[in-house]
Amino acid sequence: MANKKEIVMVERETYEKNDRTFFTYFIKGKIRGKDVRVAVTPPDKGGYTVLDIVFGNEMKAELITKPYEIKDETSGTIIKGNTYSVRSVDENGEIYECPIKPFRQSDKALLNMLMKQ
């Protein structure tokens, strides 16, 4: 799914809770022929305001993946992974970006599988 040329999108949709409307954020994909939906969230509660700004009036924005490597000084083990953010560009070329993370451990596992395809 996430080869170098394919753009992965983060999507959002509304839901109702306590007579208020909120957004839920997710990435759709297919793993071994099974449709999956990976829930993502900002790193803290205030991040939802930032996500609203990034998405603007749109229901999709681009997923940005940034690889990292950290060396554990005590064991010498190298830990590799990715950080994720969602990005949009407005009509004036202004870039809006917000970090995101998988919502649950199962979402983290699914996202890792999707990104390796």
Side-chain angles (χ1 to χ4, degrees):
M1 171 177 177
N3 61 34
K4 301 289 182 200
K5 295 178 184 168
E6 187 173 342
I7 296 174
V8 177
M9 301 301 284
V10 178
E11 300 180 47
R12 70 178 181 171
E13 66 184 13
T14 59
Y15 69 95
E16 300 285 329
K17 182 178 179 182
N18 299 328
D19 296 324
R20 292 181 59 197
T21 301
F22 299 94
F23 285 107
T24 181
Y25 298 87
F26 56 92
I27 299 166
K28 288 183 186 175
K30 193 172 282 240
I31 301 171
R32 290 185 143 182
K34 183 171 180 71
D35 290 328
V36 295
R37 182 173 159 141
V38 179
V40 295
T41 183
D44 55 45
K45 187 174 180 174
Y48 286 102
T49 300
V50 181
L51 282 175
D52 284 343
I53 292 168
V54 170
F55 276 81
N57 293 326
E58 302 299 320
M59 297 304 278
K60 292 183 180 184
E62 183 179 0
L63 176 70
I64 303 299
T65 304
K66 296 175 187 166
Y68 69 85
E69 263 186 36
I70 300 172
K71 183 176 181 180
D72 183 341
E73 296 298 326
T74 56
S75 68
T77 306
I78 296 177
I79 301 166
K80 296 179 181 182
N82 291 309
T83 60
Y84 302 99
S85 60
V86 62
R87 177 188 296 168
S88 67
V89 181
D90 71 10
E91 61 278 353
N92 299 320
E94 185 74 30
I95 297 172
Y96 299 91
E97 192 167 330
C98 179
I100 58 170
K101 64 180 184 176
F103 184 65
R104 298 174 291 265
Q105 284 294 338
S106 57
D107 293 309
K108 182 177 181 177
L110 287 171
L111 186 55
N112 285 335
M113 287 181 219
L114 280 173
M115 300 312 290
K116 290 180 181 176
Q117 293 188 55

